[in-house]
Amino acid sequence: MNDSPTKPDVIQQDRRSRRPRWFTIALVLLLISFSLVIIERNRIRAHWWAHQLARTEDLNEQGYYLNSIIAVGEEAAGAIQTLIHHDDSNVRALAVVALQSLPERTASHGLVLLLSDENVDVRESAALAIAFMQSRKAATYLYLTTQSDQAGPASASVMALSRLRSKISLKGLCQALEEHPSPIVRAQAAESLAEWVEGAPEELLVQEGNHSERQLRDPFQALSRALRDQATFSGDLSLEREIRAAVTFARQQNLVHQDDANTESVRERTVAEIAANTLSKLTGQTVRPLFESPPGTAANLAEQYRGMFFGRRNQTPRRTIAAEQEN
């Protein structure tokens, strides 16, 4: 009697032996997929939150999704990139906030892109975020951007440099005021110097080095020379936009009388007018633009304005000097 298995029996045994192998493979693949989902869950959730953030206009919901994105840290970097390239400038502005939660090495690329954004508020938010990194690399980048021929990024960087109390930020502001080809960038530098000088420690305002080095970072000389800059520009400067936005908000909340909430666009102005306004704030005296002045006048005026500023800061008596009297 032949006890060897028949062909159907062999096939059946082979099928039974394959079943455990396929089950094991399927189980392993399932476990791998599950593990990947667990590992990547924060990135997946961050992309979903970013999608929800971009589609809602509700402030409470935006705050919730933004905080959720920030909470997962670097794993949200990819999701934040989608916000950076969104069509809505409000969403791109929220991307700046999200980028600030990331390490500098990760955030820098996105902030640099937004520094060239078409929307002025997004540009300035990105520039401020770079300044708030408080690193020499960030300050150097802003300084270099102030020399860009593109007025938008240069103006935003000039504004942000006013928040950094360093020699390189002062040098960038003075050079932008005296050398940038765009009048609105020069005007922004004049406005920003007021904030920089007011908040600077005395040691940064005491000029050291040779004559040419002192001129490169002397705010009072730069502003005094700018009193003759008759180039015109239109539009608001950074601080003016902040004030205008605050007034608009107050009007919407009925916090001010409608007649007191003037938010109309300002007239065309000269760089010299902004420089004069800045010197007036710093000295506490009325300073007016110069239409022409003899050589050396700017240096003499700078020393007088510097003395008046320190006198005002130290609350000592000071005498009145109007720029037009120095003609």
Side-chain angles (χ1 to χ4, degrees):
M1 184 177 178
N2 187 4
D3 292 331
S4 61
T6 62
K7 187 174 181 180
D9 292 335
V10 172
I11 293 173
Q12 191 68 23
Q13 290 175 7
D14 185 56
R15 285 176 178 172
R16 285 196 297 268
S17 65
R18 287 181 183 179
R19 285 174 184 169
R21 287 203 303 267
W22 283 112
F23 177 77
T24 302
I25 293 171
L27 182 61
V28 169
L29 291 174
L30 182 62
L31 289 173
I32 291 173
S33 300
F34 180 74
S35 299
L36 287 173
V37 170
I38 295 297
I39 293 171
E40 297 293 324
R41 69 186 184 280
N42 282 338
R43 289 187 175 87
I44 295 170
R45 291 159 69 191
H47 277 282
W48 185 81
W49 288 325
H51 173 73
Q52 295 298 106
L53 174 64
R55 65 188 295 269
T56 183
E57 295 182 359
D58 184 273
L59 294 180
N60 291 327
E61 290 184 6
Q62 286 181 340
Y64 169 77
Y65 293 126
L66 184 61
N67 288 328
S68 298
I69 291 170
I70 291 173
V72 299
E74 274 194 273
E75 291 181 279
I80 296 172
Q81 284 293 321
T82 64
L83 300 177
I84 289 172
H85 298 285
H86 198 275
D87 292 338
D88 189 340
S89 61
N90 292 321
V91 174
R92 298 197 299 276
L94 292 173
V96 174
V97 180
L99 283 167
Q100 289 180 272
S101 68
L102 301 178
E104 181 176 342
R105 67 180 185 280
T106 306
S108 297
H109 177 68
L111 291 173
V112 167
L113 287 176
L114 293 172
L115 188 55
S116 298
D117 197 271
E118 62 184 17
N119 182 275
V120 62
D121 293 324
V122 175
R123 287 198 303 269
E124 291 191 347
S125 295
L128 283 175
I130 294 173
F132 291 155
M133 289 177 177
Q134 295 292 327
S135 70
R136 182 168 181 81
K137 182 179 179 181
T140 301
Y141 182 81
L142 290 173
Y143 167 75
L144 293 173
T145 307
T146 63
Q147 301 174 42
S148 168
D149 288 338
Q150 298 181 40
S155 184
S157 296
V158 163
M159 178 278 303
L161 282 180
S162 67
R163 309 300 176 91
L164 298 175
R165 304 295 183 261
S166 65
K167 290 182 178 179
I168 191 172
S169 62
L170 177 57
K171 181 179 178 180
L173 290 170
C174 292
Q175 284 186 324
L177 175 55
E178 298 202 66
E179 301 174 7
H180 201 279
S182 170
I184 196 168
V185 175
R186 299 201 300 276
Q188 182 60 63
E191 182 194 72
S192 297
L193 274 170
E195 182 176 359
W196 194 97
V197 173
E198 286 280 17
E202 187 167 338
E203 57 267 23
L204 283 179
L205 291 170
V206 175
Q207 301 303 308
E208 300 174 347
N210 59 44
H211 179 70
S212 60
E213 288 176 342
R214 291 198 303 272
Q215 281 193 319
L216 285 176
R217 56 174 188 270
D218 185 339
F220 293 99
Q221 284 207 43
L223 288 165
S224 295
R225 283 191 285 270
L227 290 172
R228 293 173 294 184
D229 190 339
Q230 296 301 316
T232 60
F233 71 96
S234 58
D236 292 336
L237 301 175
S238 179
L239 181 59
E240 294 167 342
R241 279 194 299 276
E242 289 182 22
I243 294 172
R244 202 171 295 279
V247 170
T248 300
F249 175 80
R251 183 176 62 182
Q252 292 171 345
Q253 301 299 316
N254 294 320
L255 299 177
V256 296
H257 193 274
Q258 293 291 330
D259 294 339
D260 297 328
N262 181 19
T263 57
E264 294 180 1
S265 298
V266 296
R267 62 180 175 81
E268 191 173 74
R269 295 164 292 168
T270 66
V271 177
E273 288 179 77
I274 307 303
N277 290 341
T278 294
L279 285 168
S280 296
K281 291 177 183 177
L282 293 176
T283 63
Q285 304 298 314
T286 300
V287 178
R288 297 187 180 89
L290 294 169
F291 292 97
E292 60 180 47
S293 60
T297 299
N300 294 333
L301 283 174
E303 290 308 309
Q304 295 177 65
Y305 291 139
R306 194 191 322 278
M308 294 171 68
F309 169 73
F310 282 117
R312 171 176 164 270
R313 174 180 276 190
N314 299 323
Q315 296 183 337
T316 57
R318 57 192 182 275
R319 64 191 181 90
T320 302
I321 297 179
E324 79 276 12
Q325 295 174 356
E326 301 299 323
N327 254 334

